[in-house]
Amino acid sequence: MMALTNRIWASQTIIFEYAIQPLNILKQALSMFMSIDTSDQLLNLEGLSNFVLDKDSKALPDSLRVFIYHTTTKQVRNGWGMARTKKGYHTLGEITFPPFGIVYALNSEPTRNDFFEITDFKNYNFNQTAQARLSIPFLTPKTYIPGLYK
């Protein structure tokens, strides 16, 4: 997969078919965000800890949305913050680890409209495998600031 993504220009979409465990992926991504959250905004978000720790919980707080993108960047972005774009103000966090980047938006819209949203992965059962065709954009982070891309 990495050989293919290295040949794609930024801001294009890559479509792959995956056999995935959607709820497991969402809970793992959120646990990674919670582990780097020095602001405690996620740790203190009502219901989030229970969602992550209880494998059977599907009660993700409505104020939180999660997105993914493909990347080959070697620039690590593991953090959270606020950003102002043409779309407005955003509270978000981001983790990049090729071949994926993961972004959350809290009480705000994401900085881009072309992220692939995985928030609905909450509707699957834990350890349930699903065959999914995902149209995930290929993005290259612009700076160390979450939410900005070339």
Side-chain angles (χ1 to χ4, degrees):
M1 183 163 69
M2 285 299 289
L4 175 63
T5 60
N6 281 328
R7 293 187 183 106
I8 301 294
W9 295 103
S11 297
Q12 292 188 355
T13 299
I14 302 171
I15 301 171
F16 281 113
E17 194 164 291
Y18 296 95
I20 60 172
Q21 294 177 318
L23 183 59
N24 301 43
I25 290 169
L26 182 59
K27 289 179 185 262
Q28 179 65 46
L30 289 170
S31 69
M32 293 184 326
F33 280 121
M34 292 176 81
S35 71
I36 64 170
D37 179 21
T38 58
S39 72
D40 292 341
Q41 70 179 354
L42 292 179
L43 293 173
N44 293 328
L45 183 61
E46 188 172 340
L48 183 57
S49 292
N50 187 57
F51 172 76
V52 170
L53 294 173
D54 179 357
K55 71 176 186 163
D56 296 317
S57 176
K58 296 180 182 182
L60 179 66
D62 291 335
S63 59
L64 186 62
R65 296 171 63 196
V66 184
F67 307 86
I68 60 172
Y69 64 90
H70 281 289
T71 191
T72 57
T73 186
K74 291 181 175 36
Q75 181 177 355
V76 175
R77 288 206 300 197
N78 297 336
W80 59 271
M82 294 188 72
R84 182 176 177 217
T85 67
K86 293 177 184 176
K87 291 178 65 180
Y89 291 94
H90 312 273
T91 302
L92 53 102
E94 184 168 1
I95 295 173
T96 57
F97 192 83
F100 295 105
I102 309 166
V103 176
Y104 76 80
L106 181 62
N107 293 314
S108 64
E109 290 295 313
T111 56
R112 300 178 62 101
N113 293 328
D114 60 348
F115 284 134
F116 185 83
E117 186 163 4
I118 63 170
T119 306
D120 287 339
F121 284 11
K122 68 182 179 184
N123 298 323
Y124 289 84
N125 293 322
F126 195 77
N127 287 336
Q128 177 184 352
T129 300
Q131 195 71 21
R133 181 169 292 184
L134 308 179
S135 298
I136 302 173
F138 181 87
L139 302 171
T140 302
K142 187 176 184 178
T143 69
Y144 66 91
I145 300 169
L148 302 176
Y149 308 89
K150 293 181 183 175

